[in-house]
Amino acid sequence: MKIPNEAPIGVIDSGVGGLTVVKEMHQFLPDETIIYIGDDARCPYGPRSVEEVKEFTLEMADALADMGIKMLVVACNTATAVTLDMLRERYPFPVLGVIEPGARAAVHVSSTGSIAVLGTVGTIKSKAYEYAITSISANAEIIPLACPEFVPLVESGQYRQMDIRPIMKRSLEPIVHLEFDTAILGCTHYPLLQDQIQEQLPIGVNIVSSAYETVRDVENTLSEFGVANISGGRKEPIFFTTGNLDGFKSIAIDWLGIENPDVRHIVL
Ligand code: DGL
């Protein structure tokens, strides 16, 4: 049975990081209804085992499949790195990740081919960016760096309340003296820290996030499968969190500029 074009697009992340992708989707595809699940109660996924990330991601994806989505966007690098193939086999609808779009964007803007990848421990360990980048540009040189302190700063809201510069400095220290012209924010939480990251990196380094490029993929997939919502009218996203409603809401208001976002609790 064909899923109706008016069906929502599902978006998942371990927490609020996927909102950086929702922001672009809401702006560029306002006719589409977005249903988002953030697993804030079990965030961060970065330090977890592959088995745990698979299990938790499946729970979110299954919940959205039960709600009748027409497409799934895995707006989490850690989950994309280890679950994308499995999810694509499991569901009848298209499943998109954020790593391939991020890699493509970085190769496009880098003129030296030296690209730093900032990500969670899980993403860096998976080498998913190395594979994605070198499959587009075989001679690219990758400088990987895990930044395990970044996600908790975002989830707790501390990035808006305290001076996080010492943490940023310490985390980025291992790469600041190396030669690269582009840095990928290889975690969807990191665009919320973009200014502070940029401040620590050498002047002139391009910062790339996969959000914009991922939305181009969503748009192309909608048209390839003939499932774009042409019913017209701007739709407001619906957000589910496994964690704290107020914390999620305040970051959603701040980041998305939606006055009173529809945030609900979900048990997975
Ligand atoms: N925002 C996610 C990512 O893109 C996950 C961060 C985490 O839970 O550690 O990797």
Side-chain angles (χ1 to χ4, degrees):
M1 202 185 63
K2 187 180 180 302
I3 301 175
N5 288 25
E6 292 74 30
I9 298 176
V11 181
I12 54 176
D13 180 46
S14 63
V16 293
L19 295 180
T20 57
V21 177
V22 169
K23 185 175 182 164
E24 303 291 332
M25 285 176 74
H26 195 46
Q27 182 178 350
F28 291 102
L29 303 169
D31 293 349
E32 300 295 338
T33 304
I34 298 166
I35 301 192
Y36 182 96
I37 300 182
D39 192 7
D40 304 80
R42 297 184 292 194
C43 191
Y45 281 9
R48 291 185 184 275
S49 68
V50 169
E51 288 67 33
E52 267 183 320
V53 175
K54 280 186 176 168
E55 184 190 328
F56 297 168
T57 304
L58 263 185
E59 286 176 4
M60 289 192 283
D62 279 353
L64 287 171
D66 288 346
M67 294 180 205
I69 56 169
K70 63 181 174 185
M71 185 189 300
L72 176 66
V73 180
V74 184
C76 173
N77 291 265
T78 315
T80 297
V82 297
T83 68
L84 197 62
D85 294 341
M86 174 183 85
L87 297 175
R88 283 182 169 157
E89 275 173 32
R90 187 174 175 92
Y91 303 112
F93 44 76
V95 179
L96 308 184
V98 284
I99 290 183
E100 215 267 328
R104 212 168 44 217
V107 169
H108 184 72
V109 301
S110 173
S111 46
T112 63
S114 286
I115 300 171
V117 178
L118 314 180
T120 66
V121 170
T123 299
I124 296 301
K125 238 200 233 163
S126 75
K127 295 193 185 315
Y129 271 102
E130 273 91 326
Y131 300 132
I133 291 170
T134 51
S135 75
I136 307 169
S137 171
N139 295 326
E141 192 210 343
I142 325 289
I143 299 167
L145 181 69
C147 306
E149 292 188 86
F150 288 3
V151 170
L153 287 178
V154 175
E155 284 291 320
S156 63
Q158 280 173 315
Y159 74 107
R160 292 185 291 164
Q161 294 145 7
M162 62 181 235
D163 181 11
I164 61 169
R165 273 175 299 186
I167 300 176
M168 309 311 281
K169 192 171 186 316
R170 178 169 74 231
S171 300
L172 297 168
E173 185 74 56
I175 63 163
V176 288
H177 303 295
L178 303 178
E179 299 264 320
F180 56 95
D181 74 342
T182 301
I184 300 180
L185 303 182
C187 170
T188 52
H189 283 72
Y190 296 179
L192 289 132
L193 307 172
Q194 178 158 346
D195 292 346
Q196 293 93 330
I197 292 173
Q198 182 97 61
E199 206 176 280
Q200 299 300 330
L201 293 180
I203 292 167
V205 166
N206 308 300
I207 301 246
V208 168
S209 108
S210 51
Y212 178 79
E213 206 61 20
T214 301
V215 176
R216 295 281 74 79
D217 278 9
V218 172
E219 202 173 13
N220 292 339
T221 309
L222 287 171
S223 89
E224 188 189 326
F225 285 77
V227 291
N229 188 351
I230 47 164
S231 68
R234 191 177 177 80
K235 317 288 186 308
E236 290 309 320
I238 300 168
F239 302 99
F240 289 94
T241 170
T242 58
N244 180 277
L245 282 184
D246 291 338
F248 189 100
K249 210 169 190 170
S250 115
I251 294 177
I253 292 170
D254 185 47
W255 184 249
L256 301 173
I258 300 176
E259 222 170 90
N260 190 18
D262 183 349
V263 184
R264 309 175 191 184
H265 193 254
I266 191 169
V267 177
L268 295 172

